[in-house]
Amino acid sequence: MTIPETLRWDGDSLVLLDQTRLPGELCWVTCTTPAETAEAIRAMVVRGAPAIGVAAAWGMALAAREARALAREPALAHLAAAAQALTAARPTAVNLAWAVARLLAHASGTAGDGAVLAEALVHEARQLHDTDVATNRAIGQAGLAVVPDGSRVLTHCNAGALATAGYGTAVGVLRAAHEAGRRLHVWVDETRPYWQGARLTAWELVQLGIPATLITDGMAAHFMARGAIDRVVVGADRIAANGDTANKIGTYGLAVLAAAHGIPFYVAAPRSTLDPVLPTGADIPIEERPEEELTHVGGRRLAAEGVGVANPSFDVTPGRLIAGIITEVGVLRPPFAPALQAALSASSASYTAT
Ligand code: MRU
């Protein structure tokens, strides 16, 4: 079986694979308005930094279609309001704000009334969607430099096809190595509290035929100490100018463990995840999710009533713990400040950092 598309445009609406139901059920949610799209992002029907960026781009296209009958200025005002609602759906992954800003800028730069803008934004969202898949394939190729034959790789959360418009970032790197005929074994953190590793990454790897073993997050140190893991590859939600990287809660702990065991720690992400405006990770907004994600499993309460709960969805790994950032223009190496600058100003074809 292949992995179904994370999201698709059916000509009038955005169709999302419902990731809250995987792997048990394959079902889809249809969004016909930007408000429905924002709600689907907030509720994690679609999740993963690049995927929510692409979904939000389609949400902007839906907003433009709502404003089809309007003159230019009211249509632009309608788009600005939709942009605000979509951007607020989840705060940490910069891809969301990046995609919305790109669609808004495209609207501002397109002369014409609501009808013209509606057509232009559907076209731009399609462009962004298709570019994401191509970008992920390029990340996979760049990642071949750090995943040799026989690698035993730990990954966290889900940075696979489901977290993108297709192919994946961190899982895309593993996928490219597998497709290149390299033997690998993947250790999959279950990723508490939302189980993206157990539910989504494990499922993707099974579909792809890549050998994988599921472990609880707390087992990583044990398997590192035994020499069973020789590299870590994870995705990212936002990377500050100095390489500090926000990713799923638990990533920072893994980076500390990897450093303690002399294991290289890699981040795989498209350049749309870079946020050069933030000098360090200290300013990255960290989303706090509902406490039921911790206290309940499968709708049943496990935690003692009355206990306090903290549920930050992401943490920040300092750039100094990262051996390389695998992007579509090559593997960036420390010091990250100049490497990120060079990657951002490079055309895809010209930059070949390894
Ligand atoms: O809360 P989620 O499931 O959206 O978090 C996803 C992650 O943290 C991923 O690792 C990250 O977005 C990269 S996805 C290619």
mmCIF file of all heavy atoms in Angstrom, residues 44 47-50 90 156-160 163-164 169 196 235-237 247-248 313-314, ligand 1:
data_model
loop_
_atom_site.group_PDB
_atom_site.id
_atom_site.type_symbol
_atom_site.label_atom_id
_atom_site.label_comp_id
_atom_site.label_asym_id
_atom_site.label_seq_id
_atom_site.Cartn_x
_atom_site.Cartn_y
_atom_site.Cartn_z
ATOM 1 N N MET A 44 -5.487 19.570 14.368
ATOM 2 C CA MET A 44 -4.483 18.593 13.933
ATOM 3 C C MET A 44 -5.026 17.536 12.965
ATOM 4 O O MET A 44 -4.473 16.442 12.865
ATOM 5 C CB MET A 44 -3.819 17.912 15.140
ATOM 6 C CG MET A 44 -3.350 18.865 16.207
ATOM 7 S SD MET A 44 -1.581 19.099 16.252
ATOM 8 C CE MET A 44 -1.013 17.670 17.106
ATOM 9 N N ARG A 47 -1.301 18.229 10.127
ATOM 10 C CA ARG A 47 -0.284 18.733 11.050
ATOM 11 C C ARG A 47 1.074 18.493 10.393
ATOM 12 O O ARG A 47 1.173 17.867 9.352
ATOM 13 C CB ARG A 47 -0.380 18.118 12.461
ATOM 14 C CG ARG A 47 -0.878 16.739 12.629
ATOM 15 C CD ARG A 47 0.017 15.660 12.091
ATOM 16 N NE ARG A 47 1.396 15.799 12.516
ATOM 17 C CZ ARG A 47 2.431 15.276 11.904
ATOM 18 N NH1 ARG A 47 2.277 14.578 10.781
ATOM 19 N NH2 ARG A 47 3.659 15.445 12.347
ATOM 20 N N GLY A 48 2.137 19.001 11.076
ATOM 21 C CA GLY A 48 3.460 18.980 10.462
ATOM 22 C C GLY A 48 3.686 20.318 9.776
ATOM 23 O O GLY A 48 2.801 20.808 9.054
ATOM 24 N N ALA A 49 4.873 20.909 10.011
ATOM 25 C CA ALA A 49 5.101 22.298 9.586
ATOM 26 C C ALA A 49 4.841 22.551 8.093
ATOM 27 O O ALA A 49 4.056 23.452 7.748
ATOM 28 C CB ALA A 49 6.521 22.718 9.983
ATOM 29 N N PRO A 50 5.449 21.788 7.177
ATOM 30 C CA PRO A 50 5.186 22.098 5.760
ATOM 31 C C PRO A 50 3.724 21.855 5.374
ATOM 32 O O PRO A 50 3.151 22.630 4.595
ATOM 33 C CB PRO A 50 6.123 21.144 5.009
ATOM 34 C CG PRO A 50 7.209 20.825 6.003
ATOM 35 C CD PRO A 50 6.504 20.775 7.325
ATOM 36 N N ARG A 90 -1.985 27.865 14.605
ATOM 37 C CA ARG A 90 -0.896 27.238 15.367
ATOM 38 C C ARG A 90 0.313 28.180 15.309
ATOM 39 O O ARG A 90 0.702 28.617 14.221
ATOM 40 C CB ARG A 90 -0.543 25.849 14.812
ATOM 41 C CG ARG A 90 -1.667 24.832 15.000
ATOM 42 C CD ARG A 90 -1.200 23.413 14.758
ATOM 43 N NE ARG A 90 -0.418 22.898 15.867
ATOM 44 C CZ ARG A 90 0.265 21.745 15.813
ATOM 45 N NH1 ARG A 90 0.274 21.027 14.702
ATOM 46 N NH2 ARG A 90 0.955 21.318 16.863
ATOM 47 N N HIS A 156 12.027 11.181 15.611
ATOM 48 C CA HIS A 156 11.060 11.590 16.629
ATOM 49 C C HIS A 156 9.888 12.264 15.941
ATOM 50 O O HIS A 156 10.064 12.923 14.919
ATOM 51 C CB HIS A 156 11.747 12.579 17.580
ATOM 52 C CG HIS A 156 10.954 12.930 18.805
ATOM 53 N ND1 HIS A 156 10.642 12.016 19.796
ATOM 54 C CD2 HIS A 156 10.431 14.113 19.224
ATOM 55 C CE1 HIS A 156 9.958 12.618 20.750
ATOM 56 N NE2 HIS A 156 9.805 13.901 20.436
ATOM 57 N N CYS A 157 8.694 12.121 16.490
ATOM 58 C CA CYS A 157 7.484 12.709 15.918
ATOM 59 C C CYS A 157 7.258 12.150 14.515
ATOM 60 O O CYS A 157 7.692 11.042 14.198
ATOM 61 C CB CYS A 157 7.569 14.236 15.916
ATOM 62 S SG CYS A 157 5.970 15.032 15.583
ATOM 63 N N ASN A 158 6.573 12.904 13.671
ATOM 64 C CA ASN A 158 6.393 12.508 12.269
ATOM 65 C C ASN A 158 6.801 13.645 11.367
ATOM 66 O O ASN A 158 6.151 14.699 11.357
ATOM 67 C CB ASN A 158 4.948 12.094 11.971
ATOM 68 C CG ASN A 158 4.756 11.862 10.465
ATOM 69 O OD1 ASN A 158 4.297 12.738 9.741
ATOM 70 N ND2 ASN A 158 5.136 10.697 9.976
ATOM 71 N N ALA A 159 7.900 13.443 10.666
ATOM 72 C CA ALA A 159 8.343 14.392 9.639
ATOM 73 C C ALA A 159 8.364 13.638 8.313
ATOM 74 O O ALA A 159 9.334 13.675 7.567
ATOM 75 C CB ALA A 159 9.705 14.962 10.003
ATOM 76 N N GLY A 160 7.272 12.957 8.044
ATOM 77 C CA GLY A 160 7.155 12.140 6.843
ATOM 78 C C GLY A 160 6.225 12.764 5.822
ATOM 79 O O GLY A 160 5.901 13.958 5.890
ATOM 80 N N ALA A 163 3.402 14.840 7.058
ATOM 81 C CA ALA A 163 3.698 16.150 7.635
ATOM 82 C C ALA A 163 3.994 17.191 6.564
ATOM 83 O O ALA A 163 4.360 18.326 6.874
ATOM 84 C CB ALA A 163 4.889 16.035 8.581
ATOM 85 N N THR A 164 3.843 16.783 5.301
ATOM 86 C CA THR A 164 4.192 17.643 4.165
ATOM 87 C C THR A 164 3.145 17.437 3.067
ATOM 88 O O THR A 164 2.228 16.635 3.229
ATOM 89 C CB THR A 164 5.583 17.250 3.601
ATOM 90 O OG1 THR A 164 5.485 15.913 3.075
ATOM 91 C CG2 THR A 164 6.678 17.272 4.665
ATOM 92 N N THR A 169 10.316 15.123 5.164
ATOM 93 C CA THR A 169 11.631 15.758 5.336
ATOM 94 C C THR A 169 12.584 14.770 6.019
ATOM 95 O O THR A 169 13.371 14.108 5.339
ATOM 96 C CB THR A 169 11.505 17.071 6.124
ATOM 97 O OG1 THR A 169 10.901 16.825 7.402
ATOM 98 C CG2 THR A 169 10.677 18.094 5.365
ATOM 99 N N GLN A 196 2.571 10.904 17.528
ATOM 100 C CA GLN A 196 2.807 11.011 16.071
ATOM 101 C C GLN A 196 3.774 9.932 15.582
ATOM 102 O O GLN A 196 3.697 9.502 14.431
ATOM 103 C CB GLN A 196 3.379 12.399 15.718
ATOM 104 C CG GLN A 196 2.378 13.538 15.816
ATOM 105 C CD GLN A 196 2.464 14.241 17.163
ATOM 106 O OE1 GLN A 196 2.810 13.633 18.174
ATOM 107 N NE2 GLN A 196 2.155 15.516 17.188
ATOM 108 N N GLY A 235 12.737 16.381 12.158
ATOM 109 C CA GLY A 235 12.264 17.535 11.390
ATOM 110 C C GLY A 235 12.388 18.809 12.214
ATOM 111 O O GLY A 235 13.041 18.836 13.264
ATOM 112 N N ALA A 236 11.751 19.878 11.751
ATOM 113 C CA ALA A 236 11.803 21.151 12.466
ATOM 114 C C ALA A 236 10.547 21.963 12.179
ATOM 115 O O ALA A 236 9.933 21.826 11.115
ATOM 116 C CB ALA A 236 13.028 21.961 12.034
ATOM 117 N N ASP A 237 10.184 22.791 13.136
ATOM 118 C CA ASP A 237 9.041 23.704 12.980
ATOM 119 C C ASP A 237 9.485 25.148 12.774
ATOM 120 O O ASP A 237 8.760 25.952 12.182
ATOM 121 C CB ASP A 237 8.118 23.606 14.188
ATOM 122 C CG ASP A 237 7.336 22.316 14.130
ATOM 123 O OD1 ASP A 237 7.882 21.275 14.539
ATOM 124 O OD2 ASP A 237 6.201 22.334 13.609
ATOM 125 N N ASN A 247 11.262 21.968 17.540
ATOM 126 C CA ASN A 247 10.630 20.772 16.975
ATOM 127 C C ASN A 247 9.820 20.126 18.100
ATOM 128 O O ASN A 247 9.793 20.618 19.240
ATOM 129 C CB ASN A 247 11.690 19.816 16.412
ATOM 130 C CG ASN A 247 11.067 18.692 15.601
ATOM 131 O OD1 ASN A 247 10.212 18.932 14.735
ATOM 132 N ND2 ASN A 247 11.442 17.450 15.866
ATOM 133 N N LYS A 248 9.160 19.035 17.776
ATOM 134 C CA LYS A 248 8.258 18.367 18.726
ATOM 135 C C LYS A 248 8.896 18.174 20.100
ATOM 136 O O LYS A 248 10.070 17.823 20.203
ATOM 137 C CB LYS A 248 7.853 17.012 18.125
ATOM 138 C CG LYS A 248 6.902 16.181 18.948
ATOM 139 C CD LYS A 248 5.658 16.923 19.361
ATOM 140 C CE LYS A 248 4.915 17.532 18.205
ATOM 141 N NZ LYS A 248 3.932 18.558 18.626
ATOM 142 N N SER A 313 3.965 21.927 23.290
ATOM 143 C CA SER A 313 3.997 20.987 22.162
ATOM 144 C C SER A 313 5.369 20.906 21.495
ATOM 145 O O SER A 313 5.631 19.986 20.725
ATOM 146 C CB SER A 313 2.934 21.412 21.151
ATOM 147 O OG SER A 313 2.678 20.382 20.244
ATOM 148 N N PHE A 314 6.228 21.876 21.785
ATOM 149 C CA PHE A 314 7.537 21.933 21.121
ATOM 150 C C PHE A 314 8.606 22.323 22.139
ATOM 151 O O PHE A 314 8.296 22.910 23.181
ATOM 152 C CB PHE A 314 7.520 22.973 19.986
ATOM 153 C CG PHE A 314 6.467 22.662 18.948
ATOM 154 C CD1 PHE A 314 5.192 23.221 19.045
ATOM 155 C CD2 PHE A 314 6.730 21.789 17.917
ATOM 156 C CE1 PHE A 314 4.203 22.911 18.116
ATOM 157 C CE2 PHE A 314 5.745 21.470 16.979
ATOM 158 C CZ PHE A 314 4.485 22.030 17.080
HETATM 159 O O1 MRU B 1 2.410 18.966 16.413
HETATM 160 P P1 MRU B 1 2.837 18.464 15.070
HETATM 161 O O2 MRU B 1 2.470 17.040 14.813
HETATM 162 O O3 MRU B 1 2.409 19.389 13.956
HETATM 163 O O4 MRU B 1 4.432 18.540 15.136
HETATM 164 C C1 MRU B 1 5.173 18.138 14.019
HETATM 165 C C2 MRU B 1 6.633 18.205 14.225
HETATM 166 O O5 MRU B 1 7.120 18.605 15.260
HETATM 167 C C3 MRU B 1 7.473 17.855 13.043
HETATM 168 O O6 MRU B 1 8.666 17.257 13.441
HETATM 169 C C4 MRU B 1 7.781 19.133 12.253
HETATM 170 O O7 MRU B 1 6.627 19.856 12.006
HETATM 171 C C5 MRU B 1 8.449 18.827 10.965
HETATM 172 S S1 MRU B 1 7.373 18.052 9.817
HETATM 173 C C6 MRU B 1 8.194 17.818 8.362
#
